[in-house]
Amino acid sequence: IHYRVDLFGRQLSGKGDYREERSGPIPKVRMDLKIPLGGDRMGTMVQVCDGRYLWTYRRLFDEKLTRVDMRRLAQALDSGSDRTVVSPLTCTIGMGGVAGLLRELRNHFAFEVVGQADLRGQRVWVLHGRWLPERLAAVMPDRKDAILRGDKVELGKLPGHLPERVLLFLGVEHLFPYRIEYRRPAAGRDEDSFQPLNTSDRPGVTMEFLWVSMNVPIRESDFEYRPGDIEVSDATESFLKRIEAETKRGAERVGP
């Protein structure tokens, strides 16, 4: 897996390995990334979902380990309504694996096929995702009336961590998402001039899978995580509160 982030004037890129096993109700996931920090410094990010907890370890400019109780999170989402909101960037790949990530993208964006392309020798369908009006109104509350009327809005005013659009590159043979791009608008570009197959825009976040193998045995020990002596911060409650707040804003916007 290759991962690149270009947000808030900072650029980080990482390369590593990704494994996923869907043998239970909560997919088991492991992602190990190495992130160059300049000079001889090398950062690390590890996400492991063992079927119960999602562990996220970061050693970049500081060191941090968090844990989310995935069973509690799943129960909260199952007990919610169709209006339950999870931000497309809040939902990491560790929360539901590749399918879970695609599901959240589908809940926020309307996709259309714009053509085929060649991606590292792989033929792919290119899908262009635009914000669903009700989701866009939830993240731009000051423009919600205009959005719901169908008026054009300046997407460059979206919060800096949110994309203007999403591009999916699905393999023609297996429909696997070999590449996901979260795009931000280029400076001075009008919204209507956006061309999905034009790569001049720099994605804010890019995730790409290379050398993919499917339906192969994976060691059970790959999904075990032992935190050792580092302090663990339980992020379950704060994550649930964030979802609750986002869902409440959405319900207030839509009404009964």
Side-chain angles (χ1 to χ4, degrees):
I1 185 170
H2 288 191
Y3 200 91
R4 179 185 173 90
V5 178
D6 188 352
L7 293 173
F8 307 113
R10 245 187 190 167
Q11 296 180 5
L12 289 175
S13 60
K15 298 180 180 180
D17 298 310
Y18 177 80
R19 302 170 183 82
E20 178 179 327
E21 181 186 5
R22 306 188 65 83
S23 59
I26 299 176
K28 295 180 179 179
V29 168
R30 184 180 188 104
M31 181 173 67
D32 297 86
L33 289 179
K34 295 295 184 183
I35 304 171
L37 299 177
D40 296 329
R41 295 186 304 160
M42 185 67 70
T44 299
M45 189 177 88
V46 179
Q47 272 201 328
V48 179
C49 183
D50 57 15
R52 172 63 190 272
Y53 296 108
L54 172 65
W55 304 86
T56 302
Y57 172 77
R58 296 182 181 88
R59 191 183 74 243
L60 299 175
F61 305 101
D62 56 4
E63 188 176 39
K64 186 175 182 180
L65 175 63
T66 62
R67 186 183 75 176
V68 174
D69 188 329
M70 293 300 295
R71 291 183 187 173
R72 283 189 60 197
L73 180 61
Q75 290 170 358
L77 295 177
D78 288 343
S79 63
S81 69
D82 292 339
R83 296 176 184 170
T84 301
V85 176
V86 180
S87 166
L89 289 185
T90 298
C91 180
T92 70
I93 196 169
M95 296 181 174
V98 173
L101 183 60
L102 291 177
R103 183 167 53 249
E104 288 310 318
L105 289 176
R106 183 189 64 190
N107 288 340
H108 287 79
F109 299 89
F111 287 92
E112 61 177 346
V113 177
V114 296
Q116 287 192 15
D118 184 85
L119 180 66
R120 300 182 185 269
Q122 174 87 31
R123 290 304 294 174
V124 295
W125 293 104
V126 182
L127 277 67
H128 173 207
R130 298 173 182 264
W131 280 92
L132 292 169
E134 61 271 19
R135 297 303 197 194
L136 183 60
V139 298
M140 299 183 73
D142 58 325
R143 300 289 294 150
K144 66 179 181 181
D145 292 337
I147 293 169
L148 295 177
R149 283 196 308 266
D151 297 346
K152 289 184 179 180
V153 297
E154 189 177 346
L155 294 180
K157 296 188 179 298
L158 276 165
H161 67 288
L162 292 176
E164 174 192 358
R165 304 164 190 270
V166 174
L167 294 186
L168 290 179
F169 298 77
L170 304 181
V172 169
E173 183 177 358
H174 298 295
L175 298 181
F176 182 84
Y178 287 96
R179 184 180 175 97
I180 303 174
E181 294 183 3
Y182 299 84
R183 290 287 188 97
R184 290 289 297 183
R189 177 178 57 71
D190 182 78
E191 179 184 350
D192 292 335
S193 67
F194 180 81
Q195 298 294 324
L197 296 180
N198 184 345
T199 58
S200 60
D201 288 353
R202 174 173 289 178
V205 177
T206 302
M207 184 166 57
E208 185 173 359
F209 296 93
L210 297 86
W211 307 297
V212 175
S213 297
M214 303 181 190
N215 299 320
V216 297
I218 303 179
R219 295 173 302 182
E220 188 67 24
S221 59
D222 286 352
F223 304 108
E224 296 175 359
Y225 190 78
R226 298 180 175 86
D229 296 332
I230 184 172
E231 182 180 352
V232 180
S233 174
D234 194 298
T236 308
E237 200 63 37
S238 62
F239 197 92
L240 289 172
K241 287 181 179 178
R242 193 184 320 166
I243 293 175
E244 182 181 354
E246 292 174 350
T247 301
K248 182 178 179 180
R249 286 197 298 270
E252 291 174 346
R253 171 187 45 74
V254 175

